[in-house]
Amino acid sequence: MTASADGPSRPRRRSTDEYRDVIPVFEELRTLEPHSPEYERVRTALITRCLPLAEHIARRFDGRGEAHDDLVQVARLGLVNAVDRFDSTRGSDFVSFAVPTVMGEVRRHFRDTGWALRVPRRMKELHFQLGQAISELSQQLGHAPTVDELAETLGIEREEVAQALIAGNAYQTVSVDGAASNHTDDLPLVETLGDYDAALENVENHEALRPLLDKLPERERTVLMSRLTETVLRIRSNSPRRALNVSRSLVA
Protein backbone atom coordinates (compact mmCIF):
# COMPACT_ATOMS: atom_id res chain seq x y z
CA MET A 1 0.00 0.00 0.00
CA THR A 2 1.34 3.40 -0.91
CA ALA A 3 2.02 6.15 1.59
CA SER A 4 -0.70 8.32 0.11
CA ALA A 5 -3.25 5.53 0.63
CA ASP A 6 -2.17 5.04 4.23
CA GLY A 7 -2.85 8.61 5.25
CA PRO A 8 -1.30 12.06 5.34
CA SER A 9 2.41 12.42 5.91
CA ARG A 10 2.16 14.30 9.22
CA PRO A 11 0.71 11.37 11.27
CA ARG A 12 3.36 9.08 9.78
CA ARG A 13 6.20 11.38 10.93
CA ARG A 14 4.64 11.68 14.37
CA SER A 15 4.47 7.86 14.53
CA THR A 16 8.14 7.66 13.54
CA ASP A 17 9.08 10.11 16.28
CA GLU A 18 7.02 8.14 18.77
CA TYR A 19 9.20 5.07 18.26
CA ARG A 20 12.53 6.84 17.87
CA ASP A 21 13.57 5.60 21.32
CA VAL A 22 13.76 2.00 20.07
CA ILE A 23 16.82 2.66 17.91
CA PRO A 24 19.30 2.66 20.83
CA VAL A 25 17.69 -0.56 22.05
CA PHE A 26 18.29 -2.15 18.64
CA GLU A 27 21.91 -1.02 18.88
CA GLU A 28 22.17 -2.70 22.24
CA LEU A 29 20.54 -5.86 20.93
CA ARG A 30 23.06 -6.04 18.09
CA THR A 31 25.91 -6.28 20.60
CA LEU A 32 24.41 -9.16 22.56
CA GLU A 33 24.84 -12.88 21.99
CA PRO A 34 21.81 -14.22 20.12
CA HIS A 35 19.45 -16.35 22.23
CA SER A 36 21.27 -15.45 25.43
CA PRO A 37 19.09 -14.52 28.45
CA GLU A 38 20.01 -10.84 28.13
CA TYR A 39 19.33 -10.91 24.39
CA GLU A 40 15.88 -12.42 24.95
CA ARG A 41 15.12 -9.86 27.66
CA VAL A 42 15.99 -6.91 25.42
CA ARG A 43 14.20 -8.45 22.44
CA THR A 44 11.04 -9.00 24.49
CA ALA A 45 11.17 -5.41 25.74
CA LEU A 46 11.45 -4.17 22.14
CA ILE A 47 8.45 -6.21 21.01
CA THR A 48 6.38 -5.09 24.00
CA ARG A 49 7.29 -1.46 23.35
CA CYS A 50 6.08 -1.69 19.72
CA LEU A 51 2.88 -3.67 20.32
CA PRO A 52 0.68 -0.54 19.91
CA LEU A 53 1.98 -0.22 16.34
CA ALA A 54 0.79 -3.75 15.52
CA GLU A 55 -2.59 -3.12 17.15
CA HIS A 56 -3.00 0.12 15.18
CA ILE A 57 -2.38 -1.73 11.90
CA ALA A 58 -4.79 -4.51 12.89
CA ARG A 59 -7.56 -1.94 13.44
CA ARG A 60 -7.11 -0.69 9.88
CA PHE A 61 -8.22 -4.12 8.61
CA ASP A 62 -11.34 -4.33 10.78
CA GLY A 63 -14.70 -4.86 9.09
CA ARG A 64 -13.42 -7.29 6.46
CA GLY A 65 -14.91 -10.48 7.83
CA GLU A 66 -12.13 -11.45 10.25
CA ALA A 67 -12.28 -11.29 14.04
CA HIS A 68 -10.34 -8.35 15.52
CA ASP A 69 -8.48 -10.58 17.99
CA ASP A 70 -7.26 -12.77 15.13
CA LEU A 71 -6.01 -9.73 13.23
CA VAL A 72 -4.16 -8.49 16.32
CA GLN A 73 -2.42 -11.85 16.72
CA VAL A 74 -1.37 -11.88 13.05
CA ALA A 75 -0.15 -8.27 13.26
CA ARG A 76 1.88 -9.09 16.37
CA LEU A 77 3.48 -11.99 14.53
CA GLY A 78 4.45 -9.57 11.77
CA LEU A 79 5.89 -7.22 14.39
CA VAL A 80 8.05 -10.01 15.81
CA ASN A 81 9.36 -10.71 12.31
CA ALA A 82 10.08 -7.02 11.82
CA VAL A 83 12.03 -6.82 15.09
CA ASP A 84 14.08 -9.90 14.18
CA ARG A 85 14.84 -8.68 10.65
CA PHE A 86 15.50 -4.99 11.28
CA ASP A 87 19.11 -3.90 10.80
CA SER A 88 19.82 -0.59 12.51
CA THR A 89 23.07 -0.18 10.55
CA ARG A 90 21.13 0.20 7.27
CA GLY A 91 18.75 2.89 8.47
CA SER A 92 17.40 4.45 11.62
CA ASP A 93 13.66 4.44 10.79
CA PHE A 94 12.20 1.30 12.31
CA VAL A 95 8.56 2.30 11.66
CA SER A 96 9.13 2.62 7.90
CA PHE A 97 10.48 -0.94 7.95
CA ALA A 98 7.94 -2.43 10.36
CA VAL A 99 4.72 -1.08 8.85
CA PRO A 100 5.00 -2.84 5.45
CA THR A 101 6.26 -5.98 7.18
CA VAL A 102 3.28 -6.14 9.54
CA MET A 103 0.77 -5.20 6.83
CA GLY A 104 2.23 -7.87 4.55
CA GLU A 105 1.69 -10.47 7.25
CA VAL A 106 -1.95 -9.40 7.68
CA ARG A 107 -2.54 -9.45 3.92
CA ARG A 108 -1.11 -12.97 3.69
CA HIS A 109 -3.50 -14.00 6.45
CA PHE A 110 -6.45 -12.71 4.42
CA ARG A 111 -5.12 -14.35 1.26
CA ASP A 112 -4.38 -17.76 2.75
CA THR A 113 -6.92 -18.29 5.54
CA GLY A 114 -9.63 -15.67 5.18
CA TRP A 115 -11.49 -17.32 2.28
CA ALA A 116 -14.60 -19.37 2.99
CA LEU A 117 -14.07 -21.48 -0.15
CA ARG A 118 -10.90 -22.79 -1.77
CA VAL A 119 -9.78 -20.43 -4.54
CA PRO A 120 -6.58 -20.63 -6.62
CA ARG A 121 -3.80 -18.50 -5.15
CA ARG A 122 -3.48 -16.51 -8.36
CA MET A 123 -7.14 -15.46 -8.11
CA LYS A 124 -6.68 -14.48 -4.45
CA GLU A 125 -3.74 -12.25 -5.29
CA LEU A 126 -5.59 -10.68 -8.22
CA HIS A 127 -8.63 -10.06 -6.03
CA PHE A 128 -6.61 -7.99 -3.56
CA GLN A 129 -4.77 -6.18 -6.37
CA LEU A 130 -8.14 -5.32 -7.88
CA GLY A 131 -9.33 -3.90 -4.56
CA GLN A 132 -6.40 -1.51 -4.42
CA ALA A 133 -6.68 -0.64 -8.12
CA ILE A 134 -10.42 0.05 -7.84
CA SER A 135 -9.82 2.40 -4.90
CA GLU A 136 -7.04 4.32 -6.67
CA LEU A 137 -8.78 4.53 -10.06
CA SER A 138 -12.05 5.64 -8.47
CA GLN A 139 -10.22 8.63 -6.97
CA GLN A 140 -8.36 9.41 -10.19
CA LEU A 141 -11.27 8.97 -12.63
CA GLY A 142 -14.14 10.14 -10.46
CA HIS A 143 -16.17 7.00 -11.21
CA ALA A 144 -15.98 3.26 -10.69
CA PRO A 145 -13.41 1.83 -13.13
CA THR A 146 -14.50 -0.46 -15.94
CA VAL A 147 -13.12 -3.92 -16.56
CA ASP A 148 -11.03 -2.57 -19.45
CA GLU A 149 -9.54 0.17 -17.26
CA LEU A 150 -8.69 -2.34 -14.53
CA ALA A 151 -7.13 -4.72 -17.03
CA GLU A 152 -4.99 -1.94 -18.51
CA THR A 153 -3.85 -0.72 -15.10
CA LEU A 154 -2.86 -4.18 -13.87
CA GLY A 155 -1.52 -5.35 -17.24
CA ILE A 156 -3.76 -8.42 -17.42
CA GLU A 157 -6.51 -9.71 -19.71
CA ARG A 158 -10.16 -8.74 -19.29
CA GLU A 159 -11.05 -12.39 -18.63
CA GLU A 160 -8.67 -12.48 -15.66
CA VAL A 161 -10.28 -9.36 -14.20
CA ALA A 162 -13.73 -10.92 -14.55
CA GLN A 163 -12.57 -14.19 -12.97
CA ALA A 164 -10.96 -12.38 -10.03
CA LEU A 165 -14.12 -10.34 -9.42
CA ILE A 166 -16.23 -13.49 -9.46
CA ALA A 167 -13.75 -15.24 -7.15
CA GLY A 168 -14.35 -12.47 -4.62
CA ASN A 169 -17.81 -13.94 -4.01
CA ALA A 170 -16.11 -16.95 -2.41
CA TYR A 171 -14.40 -14.84 0.25
CA GLN A 172 -17.30 -14.87 2.68
CA THR A 173 -20.36 -17.11 2.55
CA VAL A 174 -23.82 -16.48 4.01
CA SER A 175 -25.24 -18.84 6.60
CA VAL A 176 -28.69 -20.23 5.80
CA ASP A 177 -29.46 -19.92 9.53
CA GLY A 178 -29.06 -16.15 9.37
CA ALA A 179 -31.84 -13.66 8.68
CA ALA A 180 -32.89 -13.22 5.06
CA SER A 181 -32.39 -9.45 5.39
CA ASN A 182 -31.01 -6.91 7.84
CA HIS A 183 -34.21 -7.01 9.87
CA THR A 184 -33.67 -9.20 12.92
CA ASP A 185 -37.34 -10.26 13.07
CA ASP A 186 -37.26 -11.76 9.56
CA LEU A 187 -37.39 -15.51 8.98
CA PRO A 188 -34.09 -17.37 8.65
CA LEU A 189 -32.88 -17.72 5.08
CA VAL A 190 -33.41 -21.48 5.18
CA GLU A 191 -37.14 -20.91 5.79
CA THR A 192 -37.45 -18.92 2.55
CA LEU A 193 -35.78 -21.48 0.29
CA GLY A 194 -37.96 -23.60 -1.98
CA ASP A 195 -38.21 -27.37 -1.61
CA TYR A 196 -38.27 -30.10 -4.25
CA ASP A 197 -41.60 -30.19 -6.09
CA ALA A 198 -42.51 -33.72 -7.17
CA ALA A 199 -45.06 -32.34 -9.65
CA LEU A 200 -42.27 -30.79 -11.77
CA GLU A 201 -41.73 -34.16 -13.44
CA ASN A 202 -45.37 -34.12 -14.60
CA VAL A 203 -44.86 -30.69 -16.14
CA GLU A 204 -41.86 -31.94 -18.09
CA ASN A 205 -43.78 -35.00 -19.28
CA HIS A 206 -46.74 -32.85 -20.26
CA GLU A 207 -44.62 -30.46 -22.32
CA ALA A 208 -42.80 -33.35 -23.97
CA LEU A 209 -46.08 -35.10 -24.94
CA ARG A 210 -47.97 -32.02 -26.16
CA PRO A 211 -46.24 -31.71 -29.57
CA LEU A 212 -46.49 -35.46 -30.08
CA LEU A 213 -50.24 -35.45 -29.41
CA ASP A 214 -50.73 -32.53 -31.78
CA LYS A 215 -49.16 -34.57 -34.58
CA LEU A 216 -51.58 -37.47 -34.15
CA PRO A 217 -54.52 -37.80 -36.55
CA GLU A 218 -57.89 -36.74 -35.13
CA ARG A 219 -59.17 -40.33 -34.89
CA GLU A 220 -56.08 -41.62 -33.02
CA ARG A 221 -56.12 -38.65 -30.67
CA THR A 222 -59.81 -39.32 -29.88
CA VAL A 223 -59.07 -43.00 -29.16
CA LEU A 224 -56.16 -42.04 -26.90
CA MET A 225 -58.23 -39.53 -24.94
CA SER A 226 -61.00 -42.10 -24.55
CA ARG A 227 -58.59 -44.64 -23.08
CA LEU A 228 -57.11 -42.02 -20.76
CA THR A 229 -60.61 -41.16 -19.56
CA GLU A 230 -61.27 -44.83 -18.81
CA THR A 231 -57.98 -44.95 -16.91
CA VAL A 232 -58.99 -41.95 -14.82
CA LEU A 233 -62.35 -43.51 -13.97
CA ARG A 234 -60.69 -46.76 -12.97
CA ILE A 235 -58.14 -44.95 -10.77
CA ARG A 236 -60.85 -42.80 -9.21
CA SER A 237 -62.57 -45.84 -7.81
CA ASN A 238 -59.35 -46.86 -6.06
CA SER A 239 -57.69 -43.51 -5.28
CA PRO A 240 -59.71 -40.31 -5.69
CA ARG A 241 -56.69 -38.04 -5.03
CA ARG A 242 -54.56 -39.71 -7.69
CA ALA A 243 -57.43 -39.52 -10.16
CA LEU A 244 -57.73 -35.79 -9.50
CA ASN A 245 -54.05 -35.30 -10.30
CA VAL A 246 -54.37 -37.22 -13.56
CA SER A 247 -57.47 -35.21 -14.49
CA ARG A 248 -55.62 -31.95 -13.94
CA SER A 249 -52.81 -33.14 -16.18
CA LEU A 250 -55.27 -33.95 -18.95
CA VAL A 251 -56.98 -30.58 -18.67
CA ALA A 252 -53.62 -28.75 -18.76
Side-chain angles (χ1 to χ4, degrees), residues 96-202:
S96 297
F97 176 81
V99 167
T101 302
V102 175
M103 293 186 70
E105 192 70 33
V106 176
R107 288 196 184 101
R108 279 191 292 273
H109 171 75
F110 275 98
R111 183 195 66 194
D112 296 336
T113 64
W115 292 73
L117 301 178
R118 182 177 295 276
V119 174
R121 182 170 181 174
R122 168 65 174 166
M123 289 295 103
K124 292 180 181 179
E125 294 173 346
L126 275 181
H127 174 70
F128 287 113
Q129 291 176 15
L130 281 174
Q132 183 175 354
I134 290 173
S135 177
E136 294 176 354
L137 288 176
S138 296
Q139 294 180 356
Q140 296 174 9
L141 303 175
H143 62 80
T146 64
V147 173
D148 288 330
E149 290 168 341
L150 289 170
E152 181 179 356
T153 299
L154 297 177
I156 59 178
E157 298 293 332
R158 296 181 74 258
E159 290 74 14
E160 289 184 286
V161 174
Q163 290 174 3
L165 291 173
I166 295 174
N169 296 326
Y171 183 76
Q172 189 174 11
T173 56
V174 178
S175 173
V176 295
D177 293 325
S181 68
N182 294 329
H183 300 290
T184 56
D185 55 345
D186 281 355
L187 291 173
L189 182 61
V190 67
E191 298 293 339
T192 66
L193 300 178
D195 199 358
Y196 173 75
D197 189 349
L200 284 177
E201 184 177 354
N202 294 335

Side-chain angles (χ1 to χ4, degrees), residues 8-248:
S9 59
R10 180 175 299 176
R12 189 174 66 250
R13 287 197 299 268
R14 185 163 59 245
S15 178
T16 300
D17 295 339
E18 182 181 351
Y19 292 95
R20 190 176 297 277
D21 61 298
V22 303
I23 300 303
V25 185
F26 274 107
E27 294 291 343
E28 178 186 357
L29 187 68
R30 192 164 59 89
T31 64
L32 299 175
E33 182 70 22
H35 308 300
S36 65
E38 184 64 14
Y39 178 94
E40 294 298 333
R41 185 191 67 79
V42 174
R43 175 176 176 271
T44 300
L46 263 175
I47 295 172
T48 303
R49 168 68 182 85
C50 299
L51 283 179
L53 178 62
E55 293 167 359
H56 171 73
I57 293 175
R59 284 195 297 271
R60 295 175 59 178
F61 288 87
D62 279 343
R64 304 190 184 185
E66 289 292 302
H68 175 72
D69 290 344
D70 292 342
L71 295 177
V72 170
Q73 293 299 322
V74 174
R76 288 177 176 177
L77 176 61
L79 175 65
V80 171
N81 293 334
V83 169
D84 290 340
R85 290 164 49 191
F86 180 67
D87 187 352
S88 59
T89 62
R90 297 185 179 182
S92 59
D93 191 355
F94 172 69
V95 173
S96 297
F97 176 81
V99 167
T101 302
V102 175
M103 293 186 70
E105 192 70 33
V106 176
R107 288 196 184 101
R108 279 191 292 273
H109 171 75
F110 275 98
R111 183 195 66 194
D112 296 336
T113 64
W115 292 73
L117 301 178
R118 182 177 295 276
V119 174
R121 182 170 181 174
R122 168 65 174 166
M123 289 295 103
K124 292 180 181 179
E125 294 173 346
L126 275 181
H127 174 70
F128 287 113
Q129 291 176 15
L130 281 174
Q132 183 175 354
I134 290 173
S135 177
E136 294 176 354
L137 288 176
S138 296
Q139 294 180 356
Q140 296 174 9
L141 303 175
H143 62 80
T146 64
V147 173
D148 288 330
E149 290 168 341
L150 289 170
E152 181 179 356
T153 299
L154 297 177
I156 59 178
E157 298 293 332
R158 296 181 74 258
E159 290 74 14
E160 289 184 286
V161 174
Q163 290 174 3
L165 291 173
I166 295 174
N169 296 326
Y171 183 76
Q172 189 174 11
T173 56
V174 178
S175 173
V176 295
D177 293 325
S181 68
N182 294 329
H183 300 290
T184 56
D185 55 345
D186 281 355
L187 291 173
L189 182 61
V190 67
E191 298 293 339
T192 66
L193 300 178
D195 199 358
Y196 173 75
D197 189 349
L200 284 177
E201 184 177 354
N202 294 335
V203 175
E204 295 177 355
N205 294 337
H206 178 272
E207 293 303 315
L209 287 173
R210 181 191 292 274
L212 299 178
L213 291 174
D214 292 340
K215 293 180 180 180
L216 288 176
E218 181 67 25
R219 182 175 180 277
E220 294 183 9
R221 188 161 57 245
T222 302
V223 172
L224 179 61
M225 293 301 296
S226 176
R227 291 185 177 178
L228 287 174
T229 302
E230 293 176 0
T231 301
V232 172
L233 293 175
R234 186 170 61 253
I235 294 175
R236 179 177 298 172
S237 61
N238 298 323
S239 176
R241 173 174 290 185
R242 186 181 175 190
L244 179 60
N245 292 335
V246 175
S247 300
R248 287 175 176 175

